Amino acid sequence: MALVPCQVLRAAILLSYCSILCNYKAIDMPAHQTYGGSWKFLTFIDLVIQAVFFGICVLTDLSSLLTKGNDSQEQERQLKKLISLRDWVMAVLAFPVGVFVVTMFWSIYIYDRELVYPKVLDNFIPAWLNHGMHTTVLPFVLIEMRTTHHQYPSRSCGLAAVCTFAVGYILWVCWIHHVTGVWVYPLLEHLSPGVKIIFFVAAAVVINILYLVGEVLNNYIWDTQK
């Protein structure tokens, strides 16, 4: 795909995430007023991650256009740093967290929506916004992977970063329960302490597997020999 269409596509995706975030924050939901606010939900954290990632992508594209034909070594060095940051965010956060949110949400939703997205939320969140938060994330990140080659970090560093994010969020969820006495997700209310531990460990394992899936998929798409 040509450079300009890629730029336009990324800019459009960035604007869509900004719109989703603005509309979501404008909703007057009781959960937004409690401890942790919107930041207790992985869906919201993922939206911020995706918006930041595509913001970096757009900034990288603009920098690439501005430095094209320029022999400044300093500008070239700064562009390489920006590209490295873009690739790292894609590998460690945008892909694994985005795919995790989509797959986990819809898997639990199909089984029993009350465990993850109670029907009462339909009174606050319109259907289009729900899909913007829980559906379009997957095709957007796959489009980005297909249109741009991303250099993954070493597997040990990548998995360490993903584990740090997963454990950090799990501890955050547990802290919120410690402070408020209420679990962020209704599903956790129905699990015994032992099953909760298994669930948290399984979730951490799944997001690490998704990191590996992203690495394999990226290498498959951009295998120069093929």
Side-chain angles (χ1 to χ4, degrees), residues 54-143:
F54 279 99
I56 295 172
C57 287
V58 170
L59 183 59
T60 302
D61 287 338
L62 290 175
S63 299
S64 180
L65 286 175
L66 292 174
T67 58
K68 191 175 182 180
N70 194 323
D71 295 331
S72 173
Q73 292 184 350
E74 178 61 24
Q75 289 183 346
E76 187 70 22
R77 188 172 64 86
Q78 294 300 326
L79 178 59
K80 287 182 179 179
K81 286 184 177 181
L82 198 56
I83 292 173
S84 296
L85 176 62
R86 179 201 66 186
D87 292 349
W88 187 90
V89 175
M90 173 65 172
V92 172
L93 296 174
F95 184 88
V97 177
V99 177
F100 180 85
V101 167
V102 173
T103 54
M104 286 294 291
F105 175 83
W106 287 112
S107 297
I108 299 174
Y109 185 98
I110 292 171
Y111 174 74
D112 184 355
R113 66 169 296 177
E114 294 297 321
L115 296 176
V116 66
Y117 192 81
K119 201 166 185 178
V120 67
L121 291 180
D122 291 341
N123 299 323
F124 300 95
I125 303 176
W128 72 266
L129 185 56
N130 180 30
H131 284 292
M133 297 188 298
H134 299 114
T135 304
T136 58
V137 173
L138 181 58
F140 283 168
V141 77
L142 289 177
I143 288 171

Side-chain angles (χ1 to χ4, degrees), residues 5 52 72 86 95 109 113 117 139 143 147 149 154 164 183 185 201:
V52 170
S72 173
R86 179 201 66 186
F95 184 88
Y109 185 98
R113 66 169 296 177
Y117 192 81
I143 288 171
T147 57
H149 175 256
S154 66
T164 300
W183 288 104
Y185 303 102
V201 171

Side-chain angles (χ1 to χ4, degrees), residues 135-183:
T135 304
T136 58
V137 173
L138 181 58
F140 283 168
V141 77
L142 289 177
I143 288 171
E144 170 60 23
M145 179 170 282
R146 179 63 184 85
T147 57
T148 306
H149 175 256
H150 296 276
Q151 185 67 44
Y152 268 59
S154 66
R155 183 165 294 180
S156 58
C157 291
L159 289 175
V162 173
C163 281
T164 300
F165 175 85
V167 172
Y169 181 70
I170 290 170
L171 293 176
W172 172 231
V173 169
C174 293
W175 175 255
I176 292 172
H177 176 262
H178 172 74
V179 172
T180 65
V182 178
W183 288 104

